[in-house]
Amino acid sequence: MIRVLMLDDQPLLRSGFRALLDAEDDIEVVAEAGDGKEGLALAREHLPDLALVDLSMPVMDGIETTRQIAADPALARVHVVILTNYGLDENVFNALRAGAAGFLVKDILPEDLLHAVRVAARGDALLAPSITRRLINKYVSQPPLDPSAVRGLEELTNRERESVALAAQGLSNEEIADRMVISPLTAKTHINRAMFKLHARDRAQLVVVAYESGLVTPRGR
C-alpha cells in the first residue's frame, strides 16, 4: 500500500486528489494539511511513502517544507513531489535542489497522477527528458561548482560516471542499460551507488548534482 500525505492550501484540490487516490486499491491518503508547518508534523506522525507538496502554502511554503523533510533522518524514506500551477519555474528548480523527487502540474490528467504517484513511491524521479532538457538549459548560463566541493565525486567509477551522464539526459534505467550494453539491474546498481557516493537523496537530486558539479556539461557550453 502506497501511503500519501497531501499538502495544499486549496481544500477543493485536496479533496479531489484524495478522492482519486483513495479509489485505488494500492494507494491511501493517510493525512492532509493546508500549510507546510502542519504538514511537516503530519509527515513525522504518519511517515508516508510520498508527500504531495504545494509550492505556495501559508506559514511554511513548499520549498522549506521539502528542505526540512529531506534534512530529517526520520523522514529519509519520504519522497516529496511538488505540486505547481506554473510548470518549471525558479521555485520548482529550488525545490528540486531542496530534495524533491520531481514535480507535477495541478492540471495533470487523473491517469497521469496515479502513474506519477506509483513512480515516485518506488523511488524513481519524475523528471521526463523534456523537463531534464529545461533543467539543462537553466545550467547553461551558470558556471559549474568546483568539483572538489561535491563530496564523493572522486569515488565514482567510470561506469558510474557514464550512468550518471545518461541519467542526466533523462534516460530510464532500461534505456541506460541499452546504451551501456548491460542489464537494467546493473544500470540501477550503478545509479544507486552514484547517488550514495554523491549524497543525492534520489534521481532528481543526482541530476542536479551532476550539472552543478560540472560532472556533466550541457551541449554547447
Side-chain angles (χ1 to χ4, degrees), residues 21-205:
L21 296 173
D22 279 343
E24 298 298 302
D25 293 337
D26 61 334
I27 302 174
E28 175 190 11
V29 177
V30 295
E32 60 180 81
D35 68 76
K37 184 176 181 180
E38 182 184 359
L40 183 61
L42 289 172
R44 289 168 174 156
E45 177 184 352
H46 294 278
L47 299 178
D49 301 300
L50 181 70
L52 295 175
V53 179
D54 181 28
L55 270 179
S56 303
M57 294 185 292
V59 185
M60 187 164 70
D61 66 20
I63 295 175
E64 183 58 28
T65 302
T66 299
R67 185 176 292 112
Q68 293 202 30
I69 289 175
D72 189 339
L75 302 178
R77 297 179 65 85
V78 179
H79 303 288
V80 176
V81 173
I82 293 296
L83 296 172
T84 176
N85 289 316
Y86 308 110
L88 187 61
D89 63 7
E90 185 68 24
N91 288 325
V92 170
F93 184 77
N94 290 335
L96 291 172
R97 275 179 160 167
F103 74 93
L104 301 171
V105 289
K106 292 184 180 180
D107 61 356
I108 187 172
L109 294 174
E111 58 269 26
D112 291 337
L113 172 64
L114 296 174
H115 173 71
V117 165
R118 294 182 176 109
V119 166
R122 67 174 181 252
D124 294 335
L126 296 173
L127 286 178
S130 60
I131 300 304
T132 304
R133 282 193 293 271
R134 293 169 70 181
L135 275 174
I136 291 170
N137 289 336
K138 179 71 178 181
Y139 283 116
V140 166
S141 61
Q142 301 179 10
L145 300 175
D146 180 351
S148 64
V150 180
R151 293 177 297 165
L153 195 63
E154 70 286 350
E155 298 180 19
L156 295 184
T157 67
N158 289 335
R159 297 297 266 174
E160 287 165 357
R161 286 172 180 263
E162 185 178 356
S163 298
V164 170
L166 294 172
Q169 295 175 30
L171 272 63
S172 67
N173 288 341
E174 289 75 16
E175 292 167 330
I176 292 172
D178 287 342
R179 291 282 190 93
M180 296 178 66
V181 195
I182 56 178
S183 72
L185 180 59
T186 301
K188 182 178 181 179
T189 299
H190 287 326
I191 292 297
N192 287 344
R193 286 178 177 170
M195 287 194 294
F196 176 78
K197 291 177 181 178
L198 295 175
H199 305 274
R201 182 180 173 88
D202 51 38
R203 202 182 189 96
Q205 230 181 8

